[in-house]
Amino acid sequence: MASAPLVDSRGLSSPVDGDWNPEDVSFPEQFAWGAATAAYQIEGGWDADGKGPSVWDTFTHQGGDRVFKNQTGDVACGSYTLWEEDLKCIKQLGLTHYRFSLSWSRLLPDGTTGFINQKGNCSFKIESCAALIQGVDYYDKVIDSLLANGVTPVVTLYHFDLPQCFEDQGGWRSDTTVKAFDSYAQFCFKTFGDRVKFWITINEPYVVAEFGYEKGIMAPGVKEPGVGAYLSAHNLIRAHATAWHSYDTLFRAKQAGFVSIALNSDWAEPLNPADPADQAAAKRHVAFCLDWFATPIFLDGDYPAIMKSQVSVMSKRQGCPASRLPEFTEEEKMMIKGTADFFSLNYYTTRRIKHQDNTHSQPSVTADKEAEQVTDPSWPVAAGSSWLAVVPWGLRRLLKYIKDTYNHPLIYITENGFSLSDPAPLDDTQRWEYFRLTLQEILKAIYIDRVQLKGYFVWSLLDNFEWTAGYSSRFGLFHVDFNHSALPRVPYKSATEYARVIANNGLTASHG
Ligand code: PNW
C-alpha cells in the first residue's frame, strides 16, 4: 500500500492536498494563546519566608556536576519578587492564557496541611505559618492580576518539585506521597479554585519517573533501573486520579473547572518504514511514553497491553518472580479510568525508531521497550538542547494519533518550544521559523485532520533554569540577563512575532 508522503521537499512540513494554505486561515475563535513556566524554574526565593525545601533544592545544592556548572534555581528569574515584570511580558504578548505551577513546599513547607491555613490559627512552627500565608498571598496576587488583565490562569499543582520531606519517605515510590498529594490538591482547589478553572495535577509523569527514579539524572536522582520508574509512575497515576476525584466530588459543582494531567510525548517514525519490526518498535516507543499514562487515564484504567506483555516477558527472562510492572487492582482501574477533562500534551520532538532485541541482563525501561532511537541527520536540532530535533510535522501526526486513540478529546498543547543556547541573540529568526512551521502544522491538524485542538502554550515565557542544562539552554520568549541583579526581561524577535500571531489570530494580518 502506498502511504502519503511524510514531508514536503523542505523536510519540515507535512504536505496537504490542493492549494490549501495554512497562512490563509484563522485559528478558531476562542483559541487559547498561552505561554508556560514552572515554579522552580522561575521563582527563586528558594527559602524565602520559610519556604520548605524541595527535591530540586536538595539536588542542586548537592553539586556533583549533575547540573551544568552546578547552577541552581535559588534565584532563577526572581519571579517570586518580580511578578509585575512577568505580568508585563504576558501583557506585551497579548496572551489569553498563562500556565504556571505552584510550589508545594512554598505553600505547605512540610508538605502537609497538618497546620491549617488561617492566620492566628497556627499550630505549627511559626516560620511555616508565615510561609503559608506569604505563599498564598503570592499566588493570590498572580491569579488576581492575571484575571484583572483578562488572562486565564492555568495552574499546575506539581511540576517536579516534590517537598523533600516526602522524598525522605520514598518519594513517588511511596503511597504516603499519593495521600499527601491529594491533601495538597484539595488545599489548592479550596484556596484558589474560586478563580482558577484550569488545573493540571502533575506535569510529565514520564519525565518524573524515567529521569527521577530510573536514570537518576533529574531530582531526586534515584537510580533504580527497571523498577523505580514503573513504581513511581504507578503512584503518579494513582495520585492524579485521586486528586481528580477529589475535585469531582468536592469542588466541581461549585467551581465548574477542568482538571487534567500534562503528558509529554515524542512522535515516533519507524527507521525503515517498510520493516514491520521497526513499525512495531515505533508503536512501542509511543506506548512506553504517552500510552503508559494515557491508556489508564483516558481509556480503561490499565496499562497498554503491549507494555504489560513486554515487561512481563523481560522480567521472566531476567528471573524476576513477577513482572516489574506493578498491577492496578480492579478497584483502582475503576477509579483511574476517565479522570481527565481534556488532553494536555507537551510536545517537543520526533524520533526515528528501530527494533532492538533486548540482550541486556540489567533491567531497564529502555531495554524492556526493545526500541532504539536513531537520529535523523536531516532534522535540524534546537541550538540549546541536543535532544530536541525540530520536526513540526511530527506534532500533526501525534495529534491525529491522540484523536484516533483517545476518543477525539479536547486537546491543549500545554508546552512546545525550541531552545537557544547561551549567549543567545535577540534576533532569533531561525527559531521563529520553527514556531511558524509548527503553527502551520497545528492549523492542518485543526482543519484537515479535524483534531479538537483548543489552545497552544509556548514553553516558555522566560529564559529560565532548564533543569540539568541550568541557564545554558534558553527556551524563553523573553531573554533574561542572569548576570544582572535586576534580572531584566527583553523580548526576543519570537516574542514580537508571537504577539502578532495572537493579535491576528492567524499567521498573516488578514485575520485581524
Ligand atoms: C519539559 N526530554 O521537560 C518540562 O515540562 C519543562 O519543565 C522543561 O523546561 C521543558 O520540557 C524543556 O525541556 C522535558 O528529554 C524534559 O525528552 C526532557 C524531555 C522532554 C521534556
Side-chain angles (χ1 to χ4, degrees):
M1 186 184 78
S3 59
L6 274 182
V7 293
D8 72 0
S9 54
R10 291 191 306 170
L12 293 178
S13 300
S14 60
V16 292
D17 291 334
D19 56 3
W20 193 86
N21 182 353
E23 301 278 331
D24 292 341
V25 291
S26 301
F27 285 84
E29 273 175 47
Q30 306 291 321
F31 193 77
W33 289 110
T37 59
Y40 186 75
Q41 294 179 275
I42 66 163
E43 285 179 3
W46 77 277
D47 64 349
D49 308 321
K51 173 185 166 290
S54 81
V55 291
W56 270 96
D57 293 313
T58 309
F59 190 78
T60 55
H61 293 167
Q62 278 167 349
D65 290 321
R66 291 174 302 175
V67 172
F68 178 77
K69 292 193 175 163
N70 286 319
Q71 291 170 338
T72 75
D74 289 4
V75 177
C77 309
S79 293
Y80 182 59
T81 49
L82 296 173
W83 160 246
E84 278 70 21
E85 300 306 309
D86 294 357
L87 182 61
K88 280 185 206 158
C89 299
I90 291 166
K91 288 168 71 172
Q92 215 174 312
L93 291 169
L95 299 183
T96 64
H97 290 62
Y98 177 55
R99 174 179 176 228
F100 63 98
S101 83
L102 307 179
S103 159
W104 184 344
S105 63
R106 188 181 297 293
L107 286 165
L108 307 175
D110 82 341
T112 75
T113 49
F115 62 104
I116 289 288
N117 44 356
Q118 292 91 2
K119 293 181 192 181
N121 180 21
C122 186
S123 59
F124 203 71
K125 289 182 295 193
I126 286 300
E127 66 270 23
S128 299
C129 253
L132 177 69
I133 293 159
Q134 302 199 38
V136 171
D137 284 351
Y138 172 66
Y139 294 117
D140 271 342
K141 179 172 69 180
V142 171
I143 291 163
D144 292 343
S145 49
L146 286 171
L147 291 171
N149 284 283
V151 181
T152 304
V154 177
V155 176
T156 310
L157 295 175
Y158 177 77
H159 197 126
F160 303 172
D161 47 356
L162 187 70
Q164 181 59 39
C165 50
F166 294 124
E167 189 50 42
D168 298 339
Q169 300 169 66
W172 286 110
R173 291 162 296 168
S174 162
D175 194 48
T176 307
T177 305
V178 177
K179 295 206 169 69
F181 181 76
D182 184 41
S183 307
Y184 163 61
Q186 289 190 33
F187 166 78
C188 295
F189 298 148
K190 188 165 93 189
T191 309
F192 306 113
D194 55 335
R195 291 153 290 157
V196 173
K197 304 301 168 189
F198 286 90
W199 295 100
I200 288 167
T201 54
I202 291 165
N203 183 68
E204 301 186 349
Y206 172 86
V207 169
V208 178
E210 179 68 7
F211 298 140
Y213 292 92
E214 160 125 350
K215 297 200 164 130
I217 55 175
M218 290 174 80
V222 173
K223 290 190 178 120
E224 288 180 356
V227 179
Y230 294 131
L231 186 53
S232 51
H234 199 69
N235 285 324
L236 284 155
I237 294 167
R238 294 170 67 237
H240 158 76
T242 308
W244 184 91
H245 279 286
S246 292
Y247 190 83
D248 202 48
T249 52
L250 302 172
F251 299 95
R252 188 186 297 281
K254 198 145 177 246
Q255 298 185 351
F258 304 91
V259 182
S260 189
I261 178 168
L263 302 181
N264 64 294
S265 190
D266 303 339
W267 178 242
E269 287 291 332
L271 178 64
N272 176 357
D275 181 348
D278 286 3
Q279 290 166 7
K283 290 208 172 92
R284 288 198 301 277
H285 185 77
V286 176
F288 275 76
C289 184
L290 184 70
D291 304 335
W292 184 352
F293 303 91
T295 308
I297 292 168
F298 288 86
L299 293 185
D300 59 6
D302 201 1
Y303 294 117
I306 186 70
M307 243 188 120
K308 292 201 285 190
S309 60
Q310 285 287 131
V311 185
S312 162
V313 167
M314 302 304 152
S315 302
K316 203 169 285 169
R317 229 189 260 173
Q318 289 152 348
C320 308
S323 176
R324 287 177 279 100
L325 185 69
E327 284 178 18
F328 294 118
T329 64
E330 289 307 313
E331 207 179 318
E332 283 175 330
K333 288 180 198 169
M334 295 296 293
M335 194 275 290
I336 291 163
K337 179 183 163 168
T339 53
D341 304 325
F342 58 95
F343 204 110
S344 163
L345 173 71
N346 296 354
Y347 171 79
Y348 287 92
T349 194
T350 288
R351 312 283 187 193
R352 289 217 184 274
I353 302 293
K354 77 180 181 75
H355 174 83
Q356 175 64 55
D357 278 331
N358 182 6
T359 52
H360 302 268
S361 53
Q362 175 77 6
S364 74
V365 174
T366 315
D368 289 342
K369 178 164 69 172
E370 297 196 297
E372 192 186 312
Q373 301 181 18
V374 182
T375 309
D376 187 318
S378 71
W379 296 342
V381 172
S385 306
S386 56
W387 55 270
L388 204 170
V390 178
V391 193
W393 56 264
L395 173 58
R396 179 180 174 190
R397 295 213 149 196
L398 181 57
L399 289 167
K400 179 73 163 60
Y401 174 79
I402 291 169
K403 175 192 173 188
D404 294 344
T405 311
Y406 296 107
N407 302 323
H408 202 5
L410 299 181
I411 306 175
Y412 288 81
I413 296 167
T414 40
E415 283 182 29
N416 172 249
F418 309 94
S419 55
L420 301 165
S421 68
D422 180 56
L426 291 176
D427 181 347
D428 61 338
T429 304
Q430 174 67 77
R431 185 166 65 141
W432 176 252
E433 176 69 3
Y434 297 156
F435 277 117
R436 207 172 57 79
L437 291 169
T438 303
L439 293 168
Q440 290 182 1
E441 294 302 313
I442 285 172
L443 286 164
K444 295 174 199 172
I446 294 171
Y447 292 112
I448 300 175
D449 304 336
R450 298 282 160 193
V451 172
Q452 298 194 76
L453 185 68
K454 297 294 173 190
Y456 174 79
F457 292 69
V458 169
W459 182 270
S460 176
L461 180 67
L462 306 172
D463 287 341
N464 59 45
F465 177 79
E466 174 51 23
W467 309 117
T468 56
Y471 300 97
S472 67
S473 174
R474 293 175 173 269
F475 274 92
L477 290 167
F478 284 78
H479 178 276
V480 178
D481 183 350
F482 296 104
N483 295 318
H484 191 299
S485 60
L487 297 160
R489 285 95 159 115
V490 179
Y492 288 101
K493 184 179 173 202
S494 284
T496 318
E497 295 293 336
Y498 190 44
R500 203 197 312 270
V501 168
I502 295 172
N504 292 328
N505 201 38
L507 292 169
T508 50
S510 55
H511 314 295

